[in-house]
Amino acid sequence: MSDEILGGDLSRLRQLNTQTALRVLRGAEPMTLTELAKRTGLSRASTEDVVDDLIAQRRVAEVPPVAGVMGRPARRYRFRGDAGHALGVDIGAHRVRALVTDLDGTVLGRAQAEVPDSAGREKRLAAADEVVDTCLRDSGVDPADLWGAGVASSGLVDPTGKVVLSVAIPEWTGLNLAEHFGKKIQAPVLVDNDSRLAALAEQWRGVARYAKDFIYLLAGLRTGLGLVIDGKLHRGFAGAAGEMGALPAAGWIRAQDHLATWEGEVGDLFAAARAGDRRALGAVRRYVKDLSVGTAALVLALDPQMVVLGGGFSRSADVLLEPLRRELDKQCIRTPEVRASTLGEESVALGAVRLALDHAERAMFGEAARLKS
Amino acid sequence: MSDEILGGDLSRLRQLNTQTALRVLRGAEPMTLTELAKRTGLSRASTEDVVDDLIAQRRVAEVPPVAGVMGRPARRYRFRGDAGHALGVDIGAHRVRALVTDLDGTVLGRAQAEVPDSAGREKRLAAADEVVDTCLRDSGVDPADLWGAGVASSGLVDPTGKVVLSVAIPEWTGLNLAEHFGKKIQAPVLVDNDSRLAALAEQWRGVARYAKDFIYLLAGLRTGLGLVIDGKLHRGFAGAAGEMGALPAAGWIRAQDHLATWEGEVGDLFAAARAGDRRALGAVRRYVKDLSVGTAALVLALDPQMVVLGGGFSRSADVLLEPLRRELDKQCIRTPEVRASTLGEESVALGAVRLALDHAERAMFGEAARLKS
DNA sequence: CTCACTTTCTATGGTCTCCACAATTAGTGG
DNA sequence: CCACTAATTGTGGAGACCATAGAAAGTGAG
């Protein structure tokens, strides 16, 4: 089993209790000590100690009591979303985007810029740098106050932050993004694949909030995959999980070809399908059918609670969802919920923010992971 | 993230520390207090307290000190494998098997019996009951001393222990195995799918001991699948994970047909292939090729550390492994290690034992899982 | 056989964290 | 203004951990 060391001395126990209290407070409305004590399982007295610590650390704040109830009015405490900030950067094939949020995920600044597919490495990086600068300026967040930054890139990213391989942005291959952004940002910079980060966002603030296992499809001109298994984003042994697109039999490579038969933008195709155009409907059906093969394989293998359709095409979920559901129904033993992402275009950047926050919070709590000697 | 409550009061801390100490002792040779203290991160004094507790609980025993070393000889302690026993039952299409082991996994008793495919529900259950009885008698383990029993069945099993659907044993569908064996055994009875349990065994005592993520193929006249992800056996939202075989595009349904072209037993086919017979080699190649499609899909999606080939065909791993490796190499971005199970025919029953032990140990340690109110 | 040396064992006292319980306080409602 | 309610504050105690110091049980050299 796992080799983690869970216990430790008394300070470790306090650390664990503080962590649970913070987690409870973060996920709910302001709360009295009595309520918090019940939720954490601690006594009221100890809860008070813990909260005092959290206030000293500026991670929790007191809010005015509620009037009009029986008994002495209880002090109430809330999680301080403004205690930290994070930056998320999404570098796509034809757009770069940046986002600054606080710990609650409230967006404080956003910026984006178009970049031609043919831009080349330097131009794309320069554009990314600029949206980051704009974003920080607009949000009024001092770069020194950042807890971390997350960067999303299409393609395979290794654990050090280097792009191992990118098909969508060929000139990207070999670039170390962590290093690049590390120069500008004096905080941990984490890099990961765009589909995976979009899945993370969906788990954080999207339709998969209460799902422990789900399959996320980043559907667009290419199809990406993110897996959340047992509540955790799955990266794989070498960080190469989610590359279903590489397998011809999965159908994801040729799926988009069916949409290319339509002259004009993909958006128009979906609009035509929505209006009932038979040729458009046929193309959509064939697209979904190909997409469903690899998806059904995953559903059968993993039996997830949910399949989430995200990415550019999720705007047209109304014409995609039902056919996808039908195809999966045909091929699977148990069809999971099939839902469309509601996060829109910022989902990837939001996932990058979450990546940064996860890392920062793990570091802050010391991570029980002391290694056995 | 997760809603678990980790902390608690001082007794909970002690519980955690005891648990870590026991885990360290279980996984290694007898150890002195100083060594154990280093590995658990506790002080020597506290380690002594913890070990005293464990001795009182009869989970740890003292062994004679090692002579001939400098300084005062240190007492040494070992994990007591004989502190508990578990039963594992494997009910297959043409064989039933039972196993009794101690906590170390040492097999204390075994029994098996052939059952014709056409046996029917009653006969098969009677045969299973008999091997269980034989096994308990031979091992000399009092049924009352069992910590639990695990039962492996082919097909889909729901969380209550009922067989929802079995293709290999049609008359099995609808049968509640937990209920059946619960009458005989006064301890928790857990039921799960055979492929999954074989994967569990492989993680416990097989080639996947040090792998956190691996794909297990139960290769035989049907192909089964077990997934271990992030160190945990993956069951899926409704316990239906691993049913890759249901998807035609995965190739697993027709794979066996290539072997059926050979007149005579499958074993002879593999032997002929081993001897260099070209027709046999062709059949094997086509079998592996079909098997590899679904496997490659999983490898690409999950990027596991290892693919383990188990089941009846693993005896012929020498003719299967290399072709499988080659196929995966062609289709995958990063090919994981491909290895054959070394557990032999008892792997499924052994996994059933592990299932029982896991449950019993979780129950014993109280499982931090108190729910928020 | 004795003595120096090494390492473990045992015992003591101190600190930290949690808890239970009692006394106090600040409101509501008649 | 007085009962009633529920939160706060304060006290004492128990449990678990740690550091440290001295006693104990071996080895190895002379």
Side-chain angles (χ1 to χ4, degrees):
Chain A
M1 317 295 115
S2 99
D3 268 351
E4 286 174 87
I5 291 174
L6 275 172
D9 61 5
L10 299 183
S11 68
R12 172 76 183 138
L13 181 63
R14 163 58 68 93
Q15 199 181 39
L16 289 172
N17 284 332
T18 309
Q19 207 171 333
T20 355
L22 192 59
R23 226 167 28 198
V24 169
L25 282 171
R26 177 169 60 185
E29 293 301 292
M31 201 175 295
T32 68
L33 287 176
T34 317
E35 273 178 300
L36 184 58
K38 200 188 294 177
R39 296 239 205 161
T40 55
L42 295 179
S43 73
R44 213 208 88 99
S46 305
T47 307
E48 196 167 355
D49 283 355
V50 165
V51 168
D52 284 348
D53 275 10
L54 283 170
I55 288 177
Q57 290 171 35
R58 304 188 175 283
R59 305 230 35 197
V60 159
E62 194 175 336
V63 298
V66 185
V69 292
M70 266 301 195
R72 177 171 175 170
R75 290 185 300 208
R76 281 155 64 243
Y77 301 91
R78 67 171 174 86
F79 176 75
R80 278 188 62 174
D82 60 327
H85 303 100
L87 170 70
V89 186
D90 168 17
I91 306 182
H94 37 269
R95 200 192 325 282
V96 293
R97 190 189 298 274
L99 224 51
V100 169
T101 78
D102 64 14
L103 299 183
D104 284 326
T106 309
V107 176
L108 304 175
R110 45 166 58 89
Q112 55 171 306
E114 306 294 318
V115 180
D117 287 33
S118 57
R121 199 188 266 202
E122 301 306 324
K123 279 223 175 108
R124 197 179 299 273
L125 278 178
D129 284 343
E130 204 186 308
V131 291
V132 168
D133 290 340
T134 311
C135 196
L136 283 168
R137 203 173 335 109
D138 287 5
S139 64
V141 170
D142 181 351
D145 275 358
L146 285 178
W147 282 19
V151 180
S153 165
S154 83
L156 247 128
V157 181
D158 80 6
T160 69
K162 199 168 108 182
V163 180
V164 176
L165 176 73
S166 172
V167 181
I169 319 177
E171 78 269 16
W172 228 223
T173 301
L175 176 64
N176 191 320
L177 285 165
E179 201 176 289
H180 175 82
F181 288 100
K183 284 179 203 145
K184 183 192 295 281
I185 291 150
Q186 299 312 314
V189 177
L190 290 303
V191 189
D192 210 329
N193 168 277
D194 52 358
S195 317
R196 284 214 283 260
L197 294 183
L200 202 56
E202 211 62 47
Q203 186 196 24
W204 183 24
R205 315 184 52 202
V207 293
R209 228 166 322 183
Y210 303 107
K212 285 190 71 181
D213 297 86
F214 67 93
I215 295 173
Y216 181 91
L217 303 176
L218 191 74
L221 292 176
R222 298 177 50 80
T223 308
L225 170 65
L227 297 173
V228 171
I229 299 175
D230 203 32
K232 281 179 61 178
L233 186 62
H234 183 74
R235 294 196 162 79
F237 182 62
E243 294 300 318
M244 186 63 116
L247 188 76
W252 291 13
I253 302 175
R254 68 170 178 280
Q256 285 76 2
D257 297 347
H258 300 299
L259 305 179
T261 58
W262 187 266
E263 49 287 342
E265 295 287 314
V266 179
D268 300 336
L269 166 60
F270 289 133
R274 192 172 295 121
D277 180 284
R278 290 190 53 191
R279 255 189 65 234
L281 281 170
V284 166
R285 196 175 51 241
R286 284 189 293 277
Y287 165 72
V288 169
K289 187 155 192 166
D290 274 349
L291 189 67
S292 76
V293 179
T295 310
L298 288 171
V299 168
L300 283 164
L302 298 173
D303 184 32
Q305 180 174 356
M306 195 183 285
V307 172
V308 180
L309 183 78
F313 291 0
S314 63
R315 247 176 319 187
S316 311
D318 55 329
V319 289
L320 291 171
L321 236 48
E322 203 39 50
L324 179 57
R325 213 172 269 140
R326 265 203 304 274
E327 280 299 329
L328 291 180
D329 244 341
K330 261 192 257 174
Q331 302 174 55
C332 300
I333 293 181
R334 192 192 71 82
T335 309
E337 280 183 76
V338 180
R339 303 178 67 173
S341 166
T342 51
L343 294 178
E345 304 202 303
E346 284 179 342
S347 59
V348 174
L350 212 52
V353 165
R354 188 63 252 173
L355 179 68
L357 288 175
D358 279 348
H359 178 83
E361 292 184 4
R362 259 201 312 279
M364 162 162 291
F365 286 125
E367 261 273 282
R370 282 162 267 168
L371 289 170
K372 60 175 184 184
S373 71
Chain B
M1 319 294 118
S2 99
D3 269 350
E4 285 174 89
I5 290 172
L6 276 173
D9 61 6
L10 299 187
S11 69
R12 171 76 183 142
L13 182 61
R14 163 58 68 93
Q15 199 181 39
L16 290 171
N17 284 331
T18 310
Q19 206 169 335
T20 352
L22 192 61
R23 223 163 33 194
V24 169
L25 282 171
R26 178 169 59 185
E29 293 301 293
M31 203 176 291
T32 68
L33 287 176
T34 318
E35 274 178 297
L36 184 58
K38 202 188 290 176
R39 296 237 205 161
T40 54
L42 294 180
S43 73
R44 214 207 86 99
S46 306
T47 308
E48 197 167 353
D49 283 354
V50 165
V51 168
D52 284 347
D53 275 9
L54 283 170
I55 288 178
Q57 290 171 36
R58 305 189 175 285
R59 304 230 36 194
V60 159
E62 196 175 335
V63 298
V66 183
V69 292
M70 266 301 196
R72 175 171 179 172
R75 291 183 300 206
R76 282 156 62 243
Y77 301 91
R78 68 171 174 85
F79 177 74
R80 280 188 61 172
D82 60 325
H85 303 101
L87 170 71
V89 185
D90 169 16
I91 306 180
H94 38 270
R95 203 193 321 284
V96 293
R97 190 188 299 272
L99 224 51
V100 169
T101 78
D102 64 13
L103 299 184
D104 285 326
T106 308
V107 176
L108 304 175
R110 46 165 59 87
Q112 55 171 307
E114 306 294 317
V115 179
D117 287 33
S118 58
R121 197 187 269 201
E122 300 306 325
K123 280 223 174 111
R124 197 179 299 272
L125 278 178
D129 284 342
E130 204 186 309
V131 292
V132 167
D133 290 339
T134 310
C135 195
L136 282 168
R137 203 173 335 108
D138 287 6
S139 64
V141 170
D142 182 350
D145 276 357
L146 286 177
W147 282 20
V151 179
S153 165
S154 83
L156 248 128
V157 181
D158 80 5
T160 69
K162 199 169 107 182
V163 180
V164 175
L165 176 72
S166 171
V167 181
I169 320 176
E171 78 270 16
W172 228 223
T173 301
L175 176 64
N176 191 320
L177 285 165
E179 200 176 291
H180 175 82
F181 288 100
K183 283 179 203 144
K184 183 192 294 282
I185 290 148
Q186 298 312 312
V189 176
L190 291 301
V191 188
D192 210 330
N193 169 274
D194 52 359
S195 317
R196 284 213 284 259
L197 293 183
L200 202 55
E202 211 62 45
Q203 186 196 25
W204 183 24
R205 314 184 53 203
V207 294
R209 228 166 322 183
Y210 303 108
K212 285 190 71 182
D213 298 85
F214 67 93
I215 294 173
Y216 180 91
L217 302 176
L218 192 75
L221 292 176
R222 297 177 51 79
T223 308
L225 170 65
L227 298 173
V228 171
I229 299 175
D230 203 31
K232 281 179 63 180
L233 186 65
H234 183 73
R235 293 197 163 81
F237 182 62
E243 295 299 320
M244 185 64 116
L247 188 75
W252 291 12
I253 302 176
R254 68 171 178 280
Q256 285 76 1
D257 297 347
H258 300 300
L259 305 179
T261 59
W262 187 266
E263 49 290 342
E265 294 287 313
V266 179
D268 300 338
L269 166 60
F270 288 132
R274 192 172 296 121
D277 181 284
R278 291 190 51 191
R279 255 189 64 232
L281 282 170
V284 167
R285 196 176 51 241
R286 284 188 292 277
Y287 165 71
V288 169
K289 187 154 191 168
D290 274 349
L291 189 66
S292 75
V293 179
T295 311
L298 288 172
V299 168
L300 282 163
L302 298 174
D303 184 32
Q305 180 174 356
M306 195 182 285
V307 172
V308 180
L309 183 78
F313 291 1
S314 64
R315 250 177 318 187
S316 309
D318 56 329
V319 289
L320 292 171
L321 236 50
E322 203 41 49
L324 179 57
R325 214 172 267 138
R326 265 202 305 275
E327 280 297 330
L328 291 180
D329 244 341
K330 260 191 257 174
Q331 302 174 55
C332 300
I333 293 182
R334 192 192 71 85
T335 309
E337 278 183 80
V338 179
R339 303 179 68 173
S341 167
T342 50
L343 294 178
E345 303 203 302
E346 285 178 342
S347 59
V348 174
L350 212 53
V353 166
R354 188 63 252 173
L355 180 68
L357 288 176
D358 277 349
H359 178 84
E361 292 184 4
R362 258 200 313 278
M364 162 163 291
F365 285 126
E367 264 272 282
R370 282 164 266 166
L371 289 170
K372 58 177 186 181
S373 67

